[in-house]
Amino acid sequence: MMPIWTKSGKKHAVTLLKVQDCHVLRYISKEESGGKTSKLLVGGKNASPFFKSESAMEIFKEAGVPRKQKVTTFNVTDDAIIKPGTPLYAAHFRPGQFVDVTAKTIGKGFQGVMKRWGFKGQPASHGQTKTHRRPGAISTNKAAKVYRGKKMPGKMGNIYRTSFGLKVWRINTKHDIIYVNGSVPGHTNCLVKVKDSKLPTYKDCNKNPPFPTYFADGDEKLPEDLYDEEIFQFTDPSVTY
Amino acid sequence: RVSSDGKPEKFQPPPKPVIIDKQKQREERRFLSPEFIPPRGRTDPLKFYIERKDMIQRRKVFNIPEFYVGSVLAVTTADPYANEKASRFVGICIQRGGKGLGATFVLRNVIEDQGVEMCYELYNPRIQAIEVLKLEKRLDDNLMYLQDALPEYSTFDVNMKPVSHLSHEEVPVNKLQVRMKPKPWSKRWERPKYNIKGIKFDLPEKKMKEAQKWSQPWLEFDMLREYDTSKIEDKIWKEVSEGL
């Protein structure tokens, strides 16, 4: 995570996400998947092909791509279908766009009710006998049962969570890095899924994105760094009022 | 000439002239700002490389001078609510923290009998100028104990004239021993954890011995805490000097 300053002098914290060897693996049509939209399978970071069975490796062989560590599905409209085997780059996103980021949160193991659900616990002194971090009462007398989903101790973390509506500040096309506002679930160097934001406030925010995606061998030659309009670039002189 | 014995004196050759090559001295003394050195961790070195590019880019446009903890600096910041849209603060640097673009330094001064500490970010674009009024080092890396020292040690004239320092000479170390206000202090500075050499402790021997109870003499031999930065520093120094 890094600080970033705007032209008005405000500071924002920014997370760096690297797009590492992403390829489209397979196209699944609407009828095949049985959903409302067609799907595209996308694979992430390259990994060794020796630790998986032959049947799992079939998808990668069809697409002609080395084995990927993570495979995710994206629901896609029919006019945005991409041929399997095309590489995807960070320039697929543009600065000023809003994005949702999904990842597995840091696993904390088996945790008590105070850390996991934020319960207040009990006082440290004034006669409490062996009760300082316990949940206390778990149901009422009339209910005569414990409801499903009652907050209790258990394994915390290591589940998929999404941060919605994160602004993209800057894109580095040379190293394929996206600078995303705020924090993102997951530990450092973990695998992360980045999608266009589904929030209704940001529905009309994507002004002319590269559609269906940014092709590296196309005619468009992008500069090494793409900045949002409000970012203070370090080539400019200091901010004045 | 005749010596006291009466025999002729043995020929003494004249002393050889000592040539101080000033250019070589200048090259040997190199200063790499501490925020360039990446902390020990599992982050991808690519992240530090990109951050360094941004830092070098900022240093090309805006000059960040060499300074240490204990030197007196004057910082002018752009302020939308000030009269001339710029505010100037003079103080002694008591702490340099943070790595990369978020590196900060804390300046302390006593203005009209009120101690003031200002924390500035080195790469904040609102900073208009950083001037080093007096370049010197102190015996410690962290001068936070000046908060509990007598106020005369933290007062610096706001209109101080810059003290000239030749670039090839070594940075002078001020071996000042600071006198403290009576206890209680904000932190127990006599404890070996802080390892402070710049205070003149007037505490009785008993208290000093009791403070040594908290010493951890095994820490300096702990191999898992070792972080050798010499090779990393060489690489980063080459990168930075090529960039600037």
Side-chain angles (χ1 to χ4, degrees), chain B residues 38-52:
Chain B
R40 191 163 74 139
R42 283 158 56 154
T43 339
D44 205 350
L46 178 65
K47 185 239 178 187
F48 298 122
Y49 171 70
I50 289 185
E51 230 180 335
R52 244 174 288 139

Side-chain angles (χ1 to χ4, degrees), chain A residues 32-50:
Chain A
E32 234 181 284
S33 66
K36 290 185 198 167
T37 47
S38 42
K39 296 191 211 277
L40 279 179
L41 278 180
V42 172
K45 191 164 127 181
N46 283 348
S48 113
F50 298 115

Side-chain angles (χ1 to χ4, degrees), chain A residues 92-169:
Chain A
H92 177 96
F93 295 101
R94 286 299 147 93
Q97 227 184 330
F98 288 85
V99 137
D100 296 339
V101 177
T102 316
K104 267 198 172 178
T105 48
I106 300 180
K108 314 251 175 188
F110 196 101
Q111 286 301 336
V113 107
M114 272 178 86
K115 192 181 191 70
R116 194 176 183 213
W117 299 113
F119 283 14
K120 277 184 78 174
Q122 289 82 25
S125 71
H126 287 300
Q128 314 293 320
T129 41
K130 306 193 320 186
T131 319
H132 306 288
R133 299 181 68 95
R134 298 181 77 189
I138 52 177
S139 189
T140 49
N141 184 24
K142 197 169 178 192
K145 69 170 187 175
V146 176
Y147 294 116
R148 184 193 310 268
K150 175 83 193 69
K151 293 183 182 177
M152 282 185 161
K155 292 245 160 58
M156 180 179 162
N158 202 25
I159 44 171
Y160 285 104
R161 281 289 189 251
T162 317
S163 311
F164 296 102
L166 304 178
K167 181 166 174 179
V168 171
W169 283 110

Side-chain angles (χ1 to χ4, degrees), chain A residues 1-3 5 9 11 16 18 170 172 175 177 179 188-189 224 232 234-241, chain B residues 42 44 46-47 49-51 53-54 57-58 61 78-80 85 101-102 121 123-128:
Chain A
M1 284 193 72
M2 234 164 62
W5 286 273
K11 177 168 136 172
L16 310 196
K18 181 161 165 84
R170 179 177 159 184
N172 188 319
H175 297 278
I177 298 182
Y179 289 57
T188 38
N189 305 337
E224 191 189 323
F232 169 79
F234 288 113
T235 39
D236 306 330
S238 305
V239 162
T240 43
Y241 291 107
Chain B
R42 283 158 56 154
D44 205 350
L46 178 65
K47 185 239 178 187
Y49 171 70
I50 289 185
E51 230 180 335
K53 267 201 320 192
D54 275 340
Q57 184 57 55
R58 172 72 179 159
V61 175
D79 200 348
K85 306 297 174 199
L101 278 176
E121 289 156 353
Y123 296 94
N124 196 335
R126 291 220 315 255
I127 297 186
Q128 314 284 357

